[in-house]
Amino acid sequence: MIVVRLLVLGIFLTIVPYVTGTLFRRMNNGNISPVFCWISGQMVLWAGFLAICVPMILLEQSLTLVCNVFHVFQALLIVMVVFIEKPWKQRGSLKRCIHEKYKGIRNNKAQTVWWLVFWLLLCLQWVLTIVLAYDEGDDAFYFATATAAEKSDAMYQVVPYTGAYTGLDARHGLAPFPIWIAYLARISGIPSQVVAQILLPLALMGMTYGIFSLMAHSLCRDTKESIPFFMVLVEILFMFGGYSLFTAENFLLVRASQGKAVIACIIIPFLLYLLMMLTEQIQNREKFSWLQWGLMTLTAT
């Protein structure tokens, strides 16, 4: 049973965002990686969830209604992918992209070693995220809010510290990230605390390093053998960047499931990467794509 629940959560955190992100496959002359599709698709889903959830919070609607409407939204996006991208005609593109990247790494032993170091450090961070308990005071509010929404079906109408019903907390109601955690818990059947503190940080951490890998491929285009060294350096900076409670590094390792951490470690870096793509297009005097402007708008939302 737990395997099925983990599989469902994994589908909604990886497969659904990736499929949605294939809508942007035509950006940058079609030179788009699977990592970019995954992250851009998640940006679209987050923007859609924000547009759906916030009005319903202010109207004091139920979490069940939010879940149902968001399911319809995701279904419409998948239908768009089927009719626009025709994935059955591009089934070999993902395999070909992975093969080309693996071939380049396999022919360079030093690059292979650096990539192994990168994955070992990433797995270490994942393991520490699972087995260690961090003392973070904001979790007592945000994760308790997600649990209260999941159990009571009411959003921001329960005091997270006591469980007592109260009026609408409109101030925090404009931040739907805890409700998204409650949504993931509802569809997977896994408690909100487990999703927020153990499972979700694994995906968010992967997205963070995925964005930096996109930046590395853009910055090190002429020296691709230095990309894994760049990624290892980024990992080291994150692992030893907890010198303050308010650094992006601390947010990633300790507060990964809080909305503020997602802004610091995922949304802002991805916006910077999109601006890097835009700058490169300006230098090459290429025509701007409306898909790129749309993705930037959704990410900033």
Side-chain angles (χ1 to χ4, degrees), residues 2-61:
I2 186 62
V3 175
V4 176
R5 294 178 178 180
L6 291 173
L7 182 61
V8 171
L9 183 63
I11 290 174
F12 278 88
L13 286 177
T14 57
I15 305 300
V16 174
Y18 171 77
V19 173
T20 303
T22 56
L23 289 170
F24 303 96
R25 193 191 300 273
R26 301 178 188 180
M27 286 176 50
N28 200 21
N29 296 323
N31 187 23
I32 297 300
S33 69
V35 174
F36 181 86
C37 290
W38 175 40
I39 297 170
S40 59
Q42 189 61 72
M43 296 298 171
V44 175
L45 295 176
W46 276 339
F49 191 83
L50 174 70
I52 293 170
C53 186
V54 171
M56 292 193 180
I57 291 174
L58 299 179
L59 293 174
E60 300 186 20
Q61 300 297 316

Side-chain angles (χ1 to χ4, degrees), residues 83-101:
F83 283 96
I84 295 176
E85 292 298 325
K86 298 179 175 59
W88 59 86
K89 294 184 179 180
Q90 302 176 5
R91 55 187 177 184
S93 60
L94 177 60
K95 182 178 179 181
R96 185 168 54 253
C97 178
I98 295 175
H99 175 73
E100 290 176 356
K101 291 183 179 297

Side-chain angles (χ1 to χ4, degrees), residues 175-248:
F177 200 81
I179 309 302
W180 183 65
I181 294 175
Y183 162 77
L184 294 176
R186 177 71 65 87
I187 61 174
S188 65
I190 301 174
S192 296
Q193 287 290 344
V194 178
V195 172
Q197 293 188 308
I198 298 178
L199 301 176
L200 184 56
L202 304 181
L204 298 178
M205 196 175 295
M207 289 181 65
T208 300
Y209 287 117
I211 294 171
F212 280 99
S213 71
L214 295 175
M215 291 183 176
H217 280 84
S218 179
L219 295 172
C220 308
R221 186 164 315 206
D222 298 329
T223 56
K224 291 187 177 180
E225 62 277 3
S226 61
I227 292 177
F229 177 75
F230 176 92
M231 295 303 300
V232 171
L233 180 61
V234 170
E235 279 186 319
I236 293 174
L237 291 175
F238 269 105
M239 293 177 68
F240 293 94
Y243 53 86
S244 171
L245 295 176
F246 307 104
T247 62

Side-chain angles (χ1 to χ4, degrees), residues 43 68 92 115 145 169 195 203 278 290 301:
M43 296 298 171
N68 293 336
W115 276 120
T145 298
D169 183 4
V195 172
L278 185 63
W290 65 270
T301 303

